[in-house]
């Protein structure tokens, strides 16, 4: 059973690229999947869901408490309805807590009001939705300068380290360019791009997977 469980973990996380957004040895960590796009346009239903979910994000909550504002779905839709980069932050629903009520905004804009850098000097930021909406409306920023994630992975203390030890995940240094890249019509899938950068055995696995994919396409 242990082998079957491990195999299932591999299948569930295969070729996912996860950005760790929180980490505390005593609490655990949280991450979002970068390469699972969900939508490039937002209807009223998605805008409403995102506005409500982003209100549940702890950073946005702090903004609402201090500024006495809430995120308005119609205002969100007017900025991001026609063009949005929305992603499934946690494709594996069995591992996410309160999936439907969680969302977060990730971007690379240092002076966005109320945004916080994930790690000093990283250049990747979280939050700042109110200012993001205003900037898009004023055409200061493009909607695709922002990435919205629905749901997130959450691991308890030592859990992600255990997965790494078992080979479910491979930790790599965070690349700002990769983390902020939109996974829409990429010439090379993000996982394979990172595998090529890493080299070694994982690059060989990537090459074999692409060969398999090409063979399947040709036969069909």
């Amino acid at each position: 059973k242990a082998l079957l469980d491990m195999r299932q973990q591999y299948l569930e996380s295969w070729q996912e690229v996860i950005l760790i957004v929180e980490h505390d040895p005593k609490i655990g960590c949280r991450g979002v999947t970068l390469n699972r796009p969900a939508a490039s346009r937002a209807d009223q239903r998605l805008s409403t869901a995102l506005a409500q979910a982003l209100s549940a994000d702890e950073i946005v909550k702090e903004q609402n408490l201090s500024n006495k504002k809430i995120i308005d779905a119609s205002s969100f839709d007017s900025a991001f309805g026609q063009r949005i980069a929305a992603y499934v932050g946690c494709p594996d629903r069995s591992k996410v807590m309160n999936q439907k009520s969680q969302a977060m905004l990730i971007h690379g804009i240092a002076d966005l009001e109320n945004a916080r850098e994930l790690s000093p000097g990283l250049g990747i930021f979280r939050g700042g939705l109110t200012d993001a909406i205003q900037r898009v409306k004023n055409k200061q920023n493009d909607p695709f300068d922002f990435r919205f994630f629905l749901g997130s992975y959450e691991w308890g203390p030592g859990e992600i380290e255990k997965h790494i030890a078992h080979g479910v995940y491979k930790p790599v240094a965070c690349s700002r360019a990769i983390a902020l890249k939109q996974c829409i019509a990429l010439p090379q899938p993000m996982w394979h791009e990172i595998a090529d950068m890493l080299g070694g055995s994982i690059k060989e696995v990537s090459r074999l997977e692409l060969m398999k994919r090409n063979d399947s396409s040709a036969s069909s």
Side-chain angles (χ1 to χ4, degrees), residues 66-78:
S66 60
N67 298 335
K68 304 298 182 182
K69 294 179 182 178
I70 59 173
I71 299 168
D72 179 68
S74 61
S75 179
F76 182 93
D77 187 64
S78 66

Side-chain angles (χ1 to χ4, degrees), residues 18-23 29-32 118 122 155 160 174:
I18 298 176
L19 173 69
I20 299 299
V21 297
E22 298 174 13
H23 184 268
C29 64
R30 185 179 180 191
V32 292
L118 297 185
L122 185 60
W155 296 277
I160 189 65
C174 183

Side-chain angles (χ1 to χ4, degrees), residues 118-130:
L118 297 185
S119 181
L122 185 60
I124 302 173
F125 301 85
R126 174 180 167 189
L129 179 61
T130 302

Side-chain angles (χ1 to χ4, degrees), residues 36-104:
R36 294 294 186 266
S40 57
R41 288 174 64 95
D43 56 19
Q44 188 61 45
R45 183 178 176 182
L46 179 58
S47 294
T48 300
L50 274 169
Q52 292 175 348
L54 285 162
S55 295
D57 185 75
E58 61 181 326
I59 293 177
V60 177
K61 278 184 178 179
E62 289 180 13
Q63 295 172 21
N64 291 341
L65 289 172
S66 60
N67 298 335
K68 304 298 182 182
K69 294 179 182 178
I70 59 173
I71 299 168
D72 179 68
S74 61
S75 179
F76 182 93
D77 187 64
S78 66
F80 295 102
Q82 296 302 309
R83 296 177 70 233
I84 189 171
Y87 293 81
V88 180
C90 178
D92 180 10
R93 289 179 177 271
S94 69
K95 288 186 173 63
V96 69
M97 300 171 62
N98 302 320
Q99 169 98 13
K100 293 182 180 179
S101 66
Q102 288 187 348
M104 70 177 70

Side-chain angles (χ1 to χ4, degrees), residues 141-153:
N141 285 99
D142 186 86
F144 280 1
D145 288 338
F146 306 95
R147 303 186 71 179
F148 295 93
F149 294 90
L150 288 158
S152 63
Y153 278 104

